[in-house]
Amino acid sequence: MSQAVEAAPVAHPLADEVAALLESFGAELPRQAEGSCIVRSPLTGELIVRVQETSPDEARAAIGRAHDAFLAWRQVPAPRRGELVRLLGEELRANKAALGRLVTIEVGKIVSEGLGEVQEMIDICDFAVGLSRQLYGLTMGSERADHSLMEQWHPAGIVGVISAFNFPVAVWSWNAALAFVCGDSVVWKPSEKTPLTAIAVQALAERVIARFPEAPEGLSTLILGGRDVGEVLVDDQRVPVVSATGSTAMGRVVGQRVAARFARAILELGGNNASIVCPSADLDLALCAIAFAAMGTAGQRCTTLRRLFVHDSVYDALVPRLKQVYASVSVGNPLEGDALVGPLIDEAAYTGMERALAEAREVGGIVHGGGRHTHGVAPGGFYVRPALVEMPAQVGPMLHETFAPILYVMRVRSFDEALDLQNGVPQGLSSSIFSNDMRETSRFLSATGSDCGIANVNMGSSGAEIGGAFGGEKETGGGRESGSDAWKAYMRRQTTAINYGRAMPLAQGVKFEIADEGSAKA
Ligand code: NAD
């Protein structure tokens, strides 16, 4: 499905580069775009392109095509479906540099993170190819004589993918690579802030589908726009699985609407992630890990480190060093230098950060850093100095997620105190501990330890690998994507009992003996 994209009316180097990149992916660039929305690069704040939104009727028609595609695709053997995903991975490998650059231009990530996002897509394709020969069911011992009992996994249908701006393409691949090998079709609504990388990826997917004989048209479909378009996907009875990544506010609405029609929601929502630094921690290692987890991606990862609990005995050895790192970290346009912190996505993110810092000051927080960074960057970009805030208690802005580089730091006097504080927020995505004490690390990973979906030892809260199931508890939504057995959410489970005997015993010893005059035995 081609997308309506119009080059910006005023020629600009970034707009020209984006147009060239999109063309290299085979994305069409129609001249006219009615009802279009404006896309700006956070690097400079300048207009890049106008992208036409999908109307609700067009979205419903796309869902219809995806449904037809599913009916055909589910009949293709799973290893052949894996072959399609292998080719998709090859396409991504060949286009890694260009797609990574487009991620940087559209989202503002530093170059290595833009490339890393594409690498993650390649990795999940590799994972899914292997999975295509391992969609295992179980056999169970039946309680009845001459019976067998087993479960098998069948394709579910259309997987609706709603994604957030901060991982504009990797989240699609986490879902789509699994969905395709599971025999599902995919309808994707990316963030309205990042349609360009989505258009590029859709073009690559279409290129692969076009040369794959068994792949039906409509197997991978893109619909563009904001909440209204997303709601078409959420409410459509033909979509049995909705995988929605974004804020908790979004998930609260989407989860309820999907549940109202008894479909399945995979919710990947906001985090408020914490690390605990214990007396035995390797502080050099902790410093590096904390710096990346808290400032990487300009604090715009769902797994970004937002709360740090440091034991009293090492606080004065660690926190002053951390403040120094915060004061010296390079902020700037990632395409023009070697900055480690790029811009925030837009002005709203900047005002959200300012508001949270003001709230922190009101409750006694001491703010180091923060504020707009204007030196050597385009005035239209919202660059900020990352902020480290020493907090007297876990109150106010520490209890919710502000999607910006703010790290709240607290002094704690015991491991138990730190653990209670870590778990004492509504979100439950990621957590980590820095300790060389086996009792502490084991307790942290135990049933009475971290209550998060991700619990790391001697590393930060961010930077997950695709091999594990990814997701979190509580207001993070409970969904799991990516590795391990997350594929099961993309299939429907069928329990099957087979009677290969001549008698008809009932389970649990129930007797139901009918009088049958015509029986051969009578
Ligand atoms: P957002 O909630 O504003 O938007 C996310 C997506 O949901 C967008 O595509 C948006 O158009 C769509 N949407 C919003 N309301 C909708 C509705 N009622 N029906 C259907 N679709 C709707 O989030 P954002 O600002 O793009 O991303 C940042 C948030 O995403 C943060 O909270 C971050 O923690 C979270 N996030 C979570 C994960 C995870 O795996 N847990 C990963 C990435 C981002």
Side-chain angles (χ1 to χ4, degrees):
M1 179 190 170
S2 64
Q3 296 299 322
V5 179
E6 184 193 7
V10 182
H12 174 270
L14 276 184
D16 291 347
E17 185 176 354
V18 166
L21 284 169
L22 285 173
E23 251 181 81
S24 77
F25 296 120
E28 286 174 33
L29 300 174
R31 290 177 198 286
Q32 296 298 324
E34 287 172 22
S36 57
C37 67
I38 291 173
V39 180
R40 296 179 183 279
S41 170
L43 299 179
T44 59
E46 292 176 46
L47 174 69
I48 299 297
V49 287
R50 296 175 193 276
V51 177
Q52 186 172 325
E53 294 189 5
T54 309
S55 73
D57 281 345
E58 287 168 343
R60 278 185 278 275
I63 293 169
R65 286 193 298 279
H67 181 70
D68 292 344
F70 162 68
L71 297 181
W73 187 239
R74 66 180 175 175
Q75 298 180 53
V76 175
R80 271 302 284 167
R81 302 194 300 241
E83 174 61 8
L84 177 101
V85 174
R86 191 186 70 75
L87 295 174
L88 179 61
E90 290 299 299
E91 202 64 62
L92 290 166
R93 274 188 177 87
N95 291 280
K96 178 177 170 180
L99 186 55
R101 191 167 172 91
L102 195 56
V103 169
T104 291
I105 293 172
E106 191 171 39
V107 186
K109 293 187 183 193
I110 63 172
V111 172
S112 75
E113 288 195 69
L115 293 170
E117 172 144 5
V118 184
Q119 186 58 47
E120 194 169 354
M121 302 175 78
I122 295 166
D123 294 343
I124 192 70
C125 285
D126 287 352
F127 178 90
V129 174
L131 187 63
S132 70
R133 292 182 184 267
Q134 301 175 76
L135 301 171
Y136 298 137
L138 294 174
T139 58
M140 287 72 73
S142 172
E143 66 187 60
R144 288 172 281 188
D146 298 335
H147 278 57
S148 62
L149 187 60
M150 63 181 184
E151 67 181 19
Q152 46 182 353
W153 294 87
H154 294 308
I158 298 174
V159 175
V161 178
I162 294 171
S163 57
F165 80 83
N166 66 322
F167 276 91
V169 283
V171 166
W172 171 81
S173 68
W174 289 1
N175 287 280
L178 297 193
F180 291 150
V181 300
C182 289
D184 304 326
S185 57
V186 174
V187 178
W188 178 21
K189 196 215 75 70
S191 167
E192 56 274 39
K193 294 176 185 174
T194 56
L196 302 179
T197 41
I199 289 168
V201 167
Q202 172 67 11
L204 293 181
E206 282 182 10
R207 198 187 282 178
V208 174
I209 288 168
R211 64 173 199 263
F212 198 83
E214 300 99 314
E217 191 260 339
L219 183 60
S220 178
T221 303
L222 183 64
I223 55 178
L224 296 175
R227 180 186 175 133
D228 292 352
V229 181
E231 285 177 352
V232 173
L233 200 53
V234 166
D235 291 337
D236 197 302
Q237 200 63 43
R238 295 168 294 181
V239 183
V241 181
V242 175
S243 175
T245 299
S247 60
T248 293
M250 176 277 287
R252 212 181 289 284
V253 175
V254 168
Q256 292 182 31
R257 288 173 78 143
V258 172
R261 61 178 180 86
F262 299 102
R264 187 182 303 161
I266 303 170
L267 298 176
E268 301 286 353
L269 311 176
N272 189 4
N273 316 295
S275 286
I276 298 172
V277 184
C278 298
S280 64
D282 177 333
L283 296 186
D284 294 339
L285 179 151
L287 188 74
C288 296
I290 291 165
F292 171 67
M295 294 188 285
T297 331
Q300 299 172 113
R301 283 191 187 216
C302 53
T303 50
T304 289
L305 178 60
R306 309 204 180 277
R307 298 173 298 137
L308 183 67
F309 303 111
V310 185
H311 193 272
D312 190 37
S313 64
V314 289
Y315 192 96
D316 295 331
L318 177 69
V319 177
R321 284 174 72 188
L322 203 49
K323 282 188 216 165
Q324 193 271 326
V325 169
Y326 266 70
S328 61
V329 73
S330 50
V331 178
N333 182 336
L335 293 185
E336 291 176 356
D338 55 2
L340 293 178
V341 179
L344 295 177
I345 188 72
D346 56 19
E347 184 172 9
Y350 168 67
T351 52
M353 179 171 177
E354 289 291 293
R355 198 180 318 118
L357 292 178
E359 282 170 23
R361 285 191 186 94
E362 272 171 31
V363 293
I366 301 168
V367 177
H368 307 274
R372 191 135 178 217
H373 171 95
T374 51
H375 180 69
V377 295
F382 286 89
Y383 294 82
V384 292
R385 294 292 318 167
L388 184 154
V389 185
E390 291 181 275
M391 291 290 283
Q394 180 159 269
V395 289
M398 267 186 99
L399 297 173
H400 57 82
E401 178 193 52
T402 299
F403 219 52
I406 304 175
L407 178 64
Y408 301 106
V409 184
M410 267 183 70
R411 192 186 288 264
V412 292
R413 289 184 170 72
S414 72
F415 173 78
D416 284 345
E417 181 192 1
L419 192 58
D420 284 350
L421 285 164
Q422 184 208 276
N423 291 343
V425 293
Q427 309 81 7
L429 180 52
S430 187
S431 59
S432 87
I433 185 170
F434 294 94
S435 170
N436 285 317
D437 180 327
M438 201 191 76
R439 286 201 180 112
E440 283 170 347
T441 56
S442 300
R443 167 86 196 289
F444 182 75
L445 300 178
S446 77
T448 59
S450 168
D451 66 358
C452 295
I454 297 168
N456 295 333
V457 174
N458 289 330
M459 51 193 291
S461 56
S462 69
E465 299 179 24
I466 60 95
F470 182 91
E473 305 299 336
K474 304 193 286 187
E475 289 191 2
T476 303
R480 291 295 186 277
E481 285 172 353
S482 198
S484 185
D485 65 351
W487 61 270
K488 291 179 176 172
Y490 300 80
M491 302 198 84
R492 66 182 168 86
R493 183 195 311 241
Q494 186 173 69
T495 301
T496 302
I498 301 170
N499 178 358
Y500 55 87
R502 294 183 188 283
M504 187 52 226
L506 297 174
Q508 296 90 43
V510 171
K511 300 289 179 213
F512 198 83
E513 287 164 4
I514 56 169
D516 180 9
E517 305 275 314
S519 154
K521 286 184 194 161

